[in-house]
Amino acid sequence: MKIMKIKLNTLNDANSLVKTIDKYDYDIDAVCGRYVIDAKSIMGLLSLGIPKEIFIVIHTNNKDVISKFEEDIFKWKVEE
């Protein structure tokens, strides 16, 4: 499992993120406060509000998949 903080600024950001992570065959969650939703759901992401910083959690221990996932979502990543 890997947790990354990202920021979605626009509806296009949310849409692009869903399209990017939809190709992964792993469970991927978006976490905002006490809410945990399926990050592959555009309606779920939009229900969190935009602009918003959220945490993305990919549920795998495969280092190659995690590395590729980090590259794919780099443009939304927020440094903590």
Side-chain angles (χ1 to χ4, degrees), residues 2-73:
K2 176 74 176 181
I3 302 171
M4 292 157 272
K5 188 175 187 179
I6 66 166
K7 183 166 185 178
L8 300 175
N9 292 307
T10 66
L11 175 63
N12 285 338
D13 282 347
N15 193 37
S16 294
L17 178 67
V18 169
K19 286 180 181 178
T20 299
I21 65 176
D22 195 41
K23 63 185 174 185
Y24 288 89
D25 291 331
Y26 298 92
D27 288 332
I28 301 173
D29 297 324
V31 179
C32 184
R34 63 185 174 123
Y35 299 104
V36 178
I37 57 138
D38 181 359
K40 295 179 182 180
S41 165
I42 187 68
M43 293 304 290
L45 283 177
L46 294 178
S47 72
L48 297 175
I50 292 179
K52 180 74 75 174
E53 288 186 1
I54 60 175
F55 291 94
I56 296 293
V57 182
I58 184 168
H59 297 276
T60 182
N61 290 323
N62 184 322
K63 292 182 186 340
D64 294 332
V65 172
I66 290 172
S67 177
K68 175 70 174 136
F69 184 74
E70 288 178 316
E71 289 174 18
D72 286 348
I73 69 166

